[in-house]
Amino acid sequence: MDRSGAGVEEAAAGVAPLEQTSVAALHRPALAAARITLPGVMDAEGRVDESRLRMHVFKNGGVLPHERSLVWRFLFGMYPCSSTALERPLLLEQLVVRYQVMKGKWQRLLPSTVKMHINGTDVELIMAIEYFNQRQLQVKQQSQEYSLEVREKLAFLELQAQILFERVTLDQKELQEAIRIIDKDVPRTNRNLSYYKGEGSGNLLVLRDILITYAAFHPEVSYAQGMNDLCSRFLEVLDSEVDTFWSFSCYMEKFSKDFRADGLHRKIELEAALLKELDPQLYDHLVTDNMESFTFCHRWLLLGFQREFEHSQALRLFEILSCDHLELISQQVERARYQERLAQKRTSDSGTQTHLQRINPDFTFELFICAAILLENRRFLLRCQTDVQLIQFANSLQGTLDLNSTLKKTEQLFFDYCKCHSWDYLRRHCHQPSDRDLFYLLRNFFVLK
């Protein structure tokens, strides 16, 4: 992995930086037909090679800031990679109308919650309501300036969306509880970032609407603490209410389980199991009676180390973790799986060993990052005797870690783990294991799940 901040010098020809306004736009139509300039990623008609995109993000340690907004719309699934530049503006029209219908439904159901109830001493947020209301008026005025043809088209799309969502019944009591928690969490979002400062604090109200709309139409997930921090990075990068909602929703389709107690407990268990293999002594120390194992890693794993690195580095890390390259959720893995099945069938037909046992496929790259941080601080952790000390340790790392150094250590840890387990297996099952055997087994590990 190239860790030089996307691995290439910033090119003059690229996606132009978005015009930054104080409050996020409703949507960003100009980006629907924009081109990704990463080499070999987008074809002439605007389709994206998902495998190449994810590989580029991983190998180059993220993308350049001016590329990020457009790349995220594909990386997180708002725009299908198979869509063309002609299809995406039409898709965006549908997404905008559907979001507005969804948002309007909970606002009509609970009109008293449309305006955020805030602490009277939060002067900046009180002023933000004014900025936010100004944007709402601008959006309304723009819709009135549409031509008759456009208004008729939008009316038809709205009718379709209303038919689609009228069958959805919102649980008023549960939604009110979710809104109560959201109204506590949103003001706590990182307001040291310029995007959420001054007039930009109006973006907190945009964030609130996104989170409530998500909770209303995803009752199986609703809202859990931490989602505001996660969603805030989408809003900052995409700078669009609609685009953020759909990108965040796509992300949560895969990771919503992490916000449930059983899902996060499973991830912490996996981290403990990995450290047990890497450093049994440190593992034994952290599971003593005085300490509740690895719960101090909770925030790291839930938010993708959002607060442990400087902000721009944290965004890069989020891209790296989200590109799923080592898990290879892409066309490339399907080809690799197919070739592997063929190889296994041939060995089975010849009467030789038919199955190479996989190393634990649940040990994802983020778990190795967490392990690398723990091992780097091994001496200090061995001196900790209580949960309080562990939590203090975790808090002390906020904003102090260097991403390039951490990735270098993580990659080495990951490779050493794979290599060690592969050789152990080959020694048990092969008379004279070769480098070719090791390569095959390593590939078997990289093709996870």
Side-chain angles (χ1 to χ4, degrees):
M1 183 192 299
D2 188 324
R3 292 172 290 275
S4 59
V8 292
E9 294 184 0
E10 186 166 355
V15 177
L18 291 172
E19 180 183 350
Q20 186 69 54
T21 56
S22 58
V23 180
L26 179 65
H27 59 102
R28 293 284 181 181
L31 289 181
R35 291 195 60 82
I36 293 178
T37 57
L38 305 179
V41 167
M42 183 174 277
D43 67 17
E45 294 182 332
R47 297 183 184 88
V48 171
D49 186 323
E50 182 181 359
S51 178
R52 285 179 180 268
L53 175 63
R54 294 181 182 279
M55 187 179 297
H56 177 93
V57 172
F58 184 83
K59 287 189 174 181
N60 291 278
V63 297
L64 294 170
H66 76 274
E67 300 167 333
R68 181 165 288 141
S69 182
L70 181 57
V71 166
W72 277 32
R73 285 165 165 82
F74 293 95
L75 183 64
F76 293 102
M78 174 193 164
Y79 288 135
C81 290
S82 59
S83 63
T84 67
L86 293 177
E87 293 169 340
R88 286 192 288 274
L90 302 176
L91 173 60
L92 179 60
E93 288 179 351
Q94 293 181 339
L95 296 178
V96 170
V97 172
R98 288 185 179 185
Y99 174 76
Q100 290 177 315
V101 169
M102 295 165 76
K103 179 177 171 180
K105 183 164 184 172
W106 68 259
Q107 289 181 333
R108 288 190 299 273
L109 176 67
L110 299 171
S112 63
T113 66
V114 173
K115 292 186 177 180
M116 183 178 183
H117 300 285
I118 60 176
N119 187 330
T121 62
D122 194 335
V123 178
E124 188 177 55
L125 200 51
I126 292 173
M127 294 177 62
I129 294 177
E130 181 180 345
Y131 312 138
F132 181 73
N133 290 339
Q134 289 174 359
R135 194 208 69 159
Q136 298 294 79
L137 288 174
Q138 290 174 356
V139 170
K140 190 173 183 179
Q141 290 170 356
Q142 288 172 358
S143 65
Q144 293 173 347
E145 296 170 359
Y146 292 147
S147 67
L148 177 61
E149 181 182 357
V150 171
R151 290 201 302 270
E152 288 178 346
K153 181 180 181 180
L154 293 177
F156 176 71
L157 291 175
E158 183 176 350
L159 178 61
Q160 286 184 317
Q162 288 173 345
I163 294 173
L164 178 64
F165 295 115
E166 72 175 3
R167 68 192 70 174
V168 179
T169 301
L170 304 184
D171 189 315
Q172 184 171 331
K173 186 176 180 181
E174 288 190 4
L175 184 55
Q176 283 181 317
E177 176 60 18
I179 294 174
R180 185 187 68 81
I181 302 173
I182 289 171
D183 283 352
K184 283 187 175 182
D185 282 1
V186 164
R188 299 170 182 165
T189 304
N190 189 352
R191 292 166 68 173
N192 292 322
L193 299 176
S194 59
Y195 190 78
Y196 296 105
K197 268 186 176 180
E199 293 188 5
S201 58
N203 288 314
L204 295 172
L205 302 174
V206 179
L207 178 64
R208 175 184 187 262
D209 281 356
I210 294 169
L211 292 170
I212 296 175
T213 306
Y214 179 83
F217 288 86
H218 297 82
E220 71 285 357
V221 182
S222 187
Y223 175 82
Q225 289 185 320
M227 286 185 186
N228 62 309
D229 287 321
L230 182 61
C231 190
S232 69
R233 57 166 49 132
F234 281 96
L235 183 58
E236 178 195 355
V237 169
L238 303 180
D239 196 34
S240 158
E241 183 174 354
V242 170
D243 299 27
T244 295
F245 173 80
W246 291 110
S247 298
F248 175 71
S249 297
C250 290
Y251 177 87
M252 291 297 289
E253 283 183 14
K254 182 179 177 184
F255 294 103
S256 62
K257 62 181 182 297
D258 291 347
F259 287 88
R260 298 195 300 265
D262 57 337
L264 191 56
H265 182 69
R266 169 63 176 160
K267 188 170 284 191
I268 291 174
E269 282 184 336
L270 286 169
E271 185 60 50
L274 175 59
L275 190 65
K276 186 176 182 179
E277 293 199 36
L278 298 175
D279 191 329
Q281 182 185 4
L282 181 57
Y283 166 83
D284 288 339
H285 175 72
L286 293 176
V287 295
T288 57
D289 294 337
N290 297 328
M291 294 183 285
E292 295 184 8
S293 190
F294 293 78
T295 52
F296 67 98
C297 301
H298 166 278
R299 189 186 69 237
W300 299 354
L301 298 173
L302 185 67
L303 301 180
F305 311 92
Q306 182 172 353
R307 300 178 187 175
E308 282 59 52
F309 296 89
E310 183 272 328
H311 183 61
S312 63
Q313 293 187 357
L315 288 177
R316 282 178 52 208
L317 178 57
F318 187 59
E319 290 170 344
I320 294 167
L321 293 176
S322 300
C323 74
D324 294 322
H325 180 67
L326 290 183
E327 286 79 12
L328 289 175
I329 302 173
S330 62
Q331 296 175 0
Q332 183 179 356
V333 74
E334 294 304 323
R335 292 193 294 268
R337 284 171 174 162
Y338 176 70
Q339 294 296 329
E340 188 176 335
R341 286 195 297 270
L342 287 180
Q344 290 181 347
K345 186 177 185 305
R346 285 195 294 268
T347 56
S348 178
D349 292 342
S350 65
T352 58
Q353 181 72 33
T354 61
H355 178 65
L356 285 175
Q357 181 177 333
R358 296 174 184 270
I359 305 170
N360 191 337
D362 293 322
F363 288 162
T364 53
F365 194 62
E366 65 175 341
L367 297 179
F368 280 90
I369 291 177
C370 186
I373 295 172
L374 296 177
L375 293 174
E376 179 69 11
N377 294 276
R378 185 177 188 274
R379 289 185 179 180
F380 182 86
L381 288 171
L382 287 173
R383 293 198 299 268
C384 290
Q385 300 298 325
T386 66
D387 283 337
V388 173
Q389 291 176 319
L390 290 177
I391 293 172
Q392 290 173 342
F393 157 75
N395 291 336
S396 71
L397 295 184
Q398 291 190 35
T400 66
L401 299 183
D402 178 73
L403 181 58
N404 292 340
S405 174
T406 301
L407 287 176
K408 183 177 181 180
K409 294 167 186 172
T410 302
E411 290 167 2
Q412 189 61 51
L413 194 65
F414 186 86
F415 179 77
D416 289 345
Y417 171 84
C418 297
K419 185 175 180 180
C420 176
H421 279 255
S422 299
W423 275 119
D424 286 346
Y425 178 84
L426 289 171
R427 289 191 185 100
R428 291 196 303 269
H429 294 83
C430 303
H431 295 298
Q432 292 182 332
S434 64
D435 289 340
R436 183 176 180 180
D437 294 325
L438 175 61
F439 175 78
Y440 177 80
L441 199 57
L442 282 173
R443 189 194 70 172
N444 192 46
F445 177 72
F446 276 84
V447 182
L448 300 178
K449 302 180 183 175

